[in-house]
Amino acid sequence: MSCHGSDGQMLALEDEGFDATFSLIGASIFPDWRRGLAEQVRVTRTGGKACVATWRKLPGGGPFLVMAEALRAVYPNMAPPAPPEGFTTPDRLGAELKGAGLSALEIEEIEVVWEVPAGQSYFDDVRELHGYMGAYATLDDNERRRVDGAILTVVDRIATDNRVVLCSTAVLAVGTRQ
């Protein structure tokens, strides 16, 4: 999903229509992340900037960490998803971005702090995001209720002063469309 309400792997936008484009923890969770990356580059004008941010390692950061722990609690035998191979290290991300048509790459690892309220307010802040998390999105309503309960258990366990604070490493890359 993009800000325009379309599929990020097939944007309903004109070629080279933007001076700058951003995929912030987006393309890496698409079923076909290379297609999403190609679409991002396609809509970036020649000479424009494209920024991609992804998690350094799975399950990611923030709500992805909470979801992974909750899913393990409810489904202990569920295999974790395989990491998108192009997004596992700064070098590999750089190679994928070059292959997609970006040059003059600047890539760095940064520490990200994610902070939200605990309890039911947690769901108010992140509920919509859950629908984009592959394993959760495939659950039926009853299974989702079970996982939601496990999420609240995780959130209650890790909360301090009714806040959840999680730190993770992200890879941030900016390149210029050739």
Side-chain angles (χ1 to χ4, degrees):
M1 186 68 97
S2 78
C3 63
H4 293 276
S6 62
D7 180 346
Q9 299 164 105
M10 190 169 57
L11 297 170
L13 299 168
E14 66 182 72
D15 292 355
E16 299 193 45
F18 296 89
D19 293 334
T21 59
F22 301 84
S23 173
L24 306 177
I25 318 301
S28 63
I29 62 173
F30 292 155
D32 184 347
W33 60 268
R34 282 188 176 105
R35 190 166 143 203
L37 184 59
E39 279 294 278
Q40 178 181 1
V41 172
R42 178 185 66 78
V43 301
T44 306
R45 73 166 170 78
T46 300
K49 299 290 185 182
C51 175
V52 174
T54 189
W55 299 116
R56 175 65 169 90
K57 61 182 179 179
L58 289 181
F64 296 95
L65 294 169
V66 172
M67 179 64 74
E69 187 172 334
L71 285 167
R72 279 192 307 274
V74 175
Y75 302 104
N77 296 323
M78 178 186 283
E85 68 273 12
F87 286 80
T88 55
T89 67
D91 289 342
R92 293 197 67 187
L93 177 58
E96 292 294 340
L97 294 175
K98 283 180 185 174
L102 298 177
S103 62
L105 296 173
E106 296 179 35
I107 303 172
E108 64 181 284
E109 291 186 40
I110 59 172
E111 291 304 308
V112 177
V113 177
W114 182 74
E115 182 176 351
V116 294
Q120 186 59 43
S121 294
Y122 176 89
F123 278 109
D124 296 341
D125 280 4
V126 300
R127 182 180 309 277
E128 186 176 335
L129 181 59
H130 290 168
Y132 298 105
M133 296 180 184
Y136 186 86
T138 64
L139 301 175
D140 65 32
D141 288 342
N142 184 48
E143 293 169 323
R144 285 183 182 172
R145 279 191 291 279
R146 289 179 59 209
V147 173
D148 288 349
I151 288 170
L152 283 176
T153 299
V154 171
V155 166
D156 287 345
R157 182 181 54 74
I158 64 176
T160 302
D161 296 327
N162 204 34
R163 302 290 298 168
V164 174
V165 179
L166 297 169
C167 299
S168 303
T169 302
V171 180
L172 179 67
V174 177
T176 303
R177 181 172 179 195
Q178 300 174 356

